[in-house]
Amino acid sequence: MGKVLIIDDSNTNIKYTPENSWSSETLVGPFSNEYGTSIHKSTTRGDTMEYTFEGVGISVYGTLNKATSQGQPNIVFSIDNGSPASISAHNVGDEITSHILFYQSPVLVNGTHTLKAISTGGGSAFYFDFLTVDTAREDPVGDVIVDDRDLGVLYSGTWDQSGTESEYLYTTSKTPKGPNGGTATFTFEGTAIAVYGTTDSNGRNGGNATHVAFTLDGTTTQYNGIPNSGAIKNVQLFSNQSLPNGKHTLSFTLLDANICYFDYLVYTSKGGSGSGSGGDGSGNGGGGGAGNGSSSKTNVGAIVGGVVGGIAVLVLFVLGLIFCLRKRKERKSKAEEQRAAEPYALPTTKTNTNTMSTTAKTAKTESRTYIAGGTTTEQESTVSRPFTGVTSSFFDGGSPGRDSIAYTAMQQSQSSHSHGVGIHVPTGPDYRHPDMLYPQYEGMPSSGLYRPPPSTVLSDEPDSPAQPQYIRSTNEKSRFHNNNNNPSTNVNQSSPHSLPSQPSFTPHTISPPTSSFAETDSGLRLIPPPHYTAD
């Protein structure tokens, strides 16, 4: 619970309607002691009093004038135009009694509210004295009321608790008997302070007045009561309205045997660092009174601003992070889509333009065998084999009747016309053509390579001297197209599939070769090249 402000009826923020129907008075009767020595009176049906405040509750106090004989005023109260409530009933006798609680609101939501009191007529006069507002704040601006039971009031000695309906919140604290029997102390921050209480009847003490010593910041002031008087309630025992704004300490103690009852005190707070040394006032709810100025909101505003600023920065950071992650994901997705739309190009390969027909062809082969007596037998067979069109590993074709470079290299001082270009091929047993991938299989002499002597000698043309021909081996790389790899020669122009005309072979009676060439040969087997015919 926060501090409770007291709002006097003379506050200019209280609106009286109609204004000329309300009268302002100082007292209702002798020793009634209305707060601030002022009160507003209404006797006309329909008179209205309004006050706007900030807080969580509000209470209305006034004076009853001989309630037993004249009755109570007929007033209804409402908050924010809500359900109306009637004035509270009191049994105070047929006297003038001030500080009577007329209305107390329920606990409200902290905020701005409006109290309205309307006279319905038919009862006694309505005497309005003051309001109390529960601000729900510890540092409000205005006049703060502190009850005698407030924890901010420190007591020493034996103080008895008492109270009646005409005392604030029905409570008072009775001073110890005897001089300097006990002390009450209160520390606050503000610019003014006043102490209120009840003086006992002094007729029982020989008519001596009550004497109380008040010490404010080391300065002592004495209160002297009225002699030969009865009990007086709501008496202002001490007041100082010109203090510098800051922290102050007030203490008081009884100086004689006459009893004094401490009821409440009021100090003026400028807000800021707080106002009052103890706990909350035990008032009846309230809030910063709009009439005495609004409560300080500096600290709350700074805190709220800091929290909102921090949340805003956090939100911006999170949004920036989400944006960056989204952009990164978009770039990654775009790159993946581009790679999917444009696959890697296959490596460029060179295509051999010297293509060959893969049509199966039939080849005639002749084989000749030596027979004792110097004659030979001749046998002709037809073999069907596919024509793969794969070129030699080192020979791209040449003129008809010519074999691989390996064979040409074996000729002694002869010229070969490969690709139609005349070149001189070196000779010798150790020669290796630079384009040969497998010289040991191309009929070239190599160390440790054994080749059996030739068994067949063929002639390319009739009646021509026998010429050694290269015998193809299944292990030799050049077996595919060393012959007839250039079909443009001797091709019948009338048909695109015609093959060169085949020469006729005439058997010869020859002896096994004894030429120097055969003797120096490394064991090649020589047969005539196959002749292909259209199937």
Side-chain angles (χ1 to χ4, degrees), residues 493-514:
Q493 299 298 328
S494 62
S495 174
H497 300 289
S498 299
L499 293 176
S501 59
Q502 303 299 320
S504 59
F505 292 88
T506 303
H508 296 271
T509 302
I510 59 174
S511 299
T514 58

Side-chain angles (χ1 to χ4, degrees), residues 171-520:
T171 63
T172 58
S173 293
K174 179 181 177 181
T175 60
K177 294 182 178 180
N180 301 316
T183 304
T185 303
F186 181 74
T187 301
F188 65 98
E189 288 189 14
T191 59
I193 190 168
V195 180
Y196 297 86
T198 299
T199 58
D200 196 9
S201 173
N202 53 34
R204 294 169 294 182
N205 297 314
N208 296 323
T210 299
H211 300 284
V212 182
F214 292 88
T215 302
L216 177 61
D217 298 335
T219 301
T220 301
T221 301
Q222 183 174 316
Y223 168 77
N224 298 313
I226 301 173
N228 300 316
S229 65
I232 304 175
K233 296 178 181 179
N234 305 309
V235 176
Q236 186 181 85
L237 302 175
F238 174 82
S239 177
N240 189 328
Q241 302 297 312
S242 59
L243 296 174
N245 189 21
K247 182 175 289 187
H248 306 278
T249 299
L250 173 68
S251 63
F252 52 94
T253 184
L254 186 67
L255 296 178
D256 55 28
N258 288 338
I259 303 299
C260 179
Y261 297 87
F262 168 53
D263 191 3
Y264 64 94
L265 62 84
V266 176
Y267 70 91
T268 302
S269 171
K270 298 300 181 180
S273 60
S275 41
S277 64
D280 48 27
S282 36
N284 33 337
N292 273 343
S294 61
S295 301
S296 174
K297 301 179 182 179
T298 304
N299 294 340
V300 176
I303 294 173
V304 172
V307 172
V308 172
I311 294 175
V313 171
L314 181 59
V315 170
L316 290 176
F317 174 77
V318 172
L319 291 178
L321 181 60
I322 293 174
F323 177 79
C324 293
L325 292 177
R326 183 172 296 177
K327 295 296 290 184
R328 181 180 180 183
K329 184 177 181 180
E330 290 177 357
R331 289 195 298 267
K332 184 176 180 181
S333 300
K334 187 174 181 180
E336 291 177 353
E337 292 176 0
Q338 186 174 4
R339 286 196 296 269
E342 300 178 4
Y344 293 109
L346 294 175
T348 304
T349 58
K350 292 183 179 180
T351 304
N352 189 350
T353 58
N354 190 13
T355 57
M356 302 292 293
S357 173
T358 58
T359 306
K361 300 180 184 300
T362 303
K364 285 185 178 181
T365 61
E366 294 86 9
S367 62
R368 296 181 184 181
T369 307
Y370 285 104
I371 301 177
T375 62
T376 60
T377 64
E378 182 178 283
Q379 181 180 1
E380 180 176 321
S381 64
T382 302
V383 180
S384 178
R385 67 182 69 176
F387 190 72
T388 62
V390 180
T391 61
S392 171
S393 62
F394 67 93
F395 184 69
D396 291 334
S399 301
R402 296 291 189 267
D403 282 309
S404 66
I405 297 175
Y407 167 75
T408 309
M410 299 171 59
Q411 306 301 319
Q412 299 289 335
S413 302
Q414 294 184 3
S415 296
S416 174
H417 299 278
S418 176
H419 296 283
V421 179
I423 60 172
H424 176 73
V425 180
T427 61
D430 296 326
Y431 171 76
R432 282 176 170 81
H433 193 277
D435 292 333
M436 294 181 184
L437 297 180
Y438 307 95
Q440 66 271 32
Y441 299 118
E442 298 295 342
M444 303 309 299
S446 60
S447 177
L449 181 63
Y450 170 77
R451 297 284 184 173
S455 61
T456 303
V457 177
L458 298 178
S459 174
D460 242 356
E461 298 178 1
D463 303 325
S464 64
Q467 298 292 333
Q469 298 295 319
Y470 177 67
I471 297 177
R472 301 176 185 273
S473 171
T474 58
N475 294 327
E476 294 162 355
K477 297 293 183 175
S478 61
R479 70 182 181 276
F480 294 99
H481 294 289
N482 287 337
N483 297 298
N484 298 324
N485 200 28
N486 190 351
S488 62
T489 306
N490 298 326
V491 174
N492 186 354
Q493 299 298 328
S494 62
S495 174
H497 300 289
S498 299
L499 293 176
S501 59
Q502 303 299 320
S504 59
F505 292 88
T506 303
H508 296 271
T509 302
I510 59 174
S511 299
T514 58
S515 65
S516 61
F517 172 81
E519 293 175 353
T520 59

Side-chain angles (χ1 to χ4, degrees), residues 148-149 160-164 167 170-174 261-262:
D148 65 292
R149 307 291 173 88
D160 296 332
Q161 294 182 350
S162 182
T164 63
E167 294 165 320
Y170 312 114
T171 63
T172 58
S173 293
K174 179 181 177 181
Y261 297 87
F262 168 53

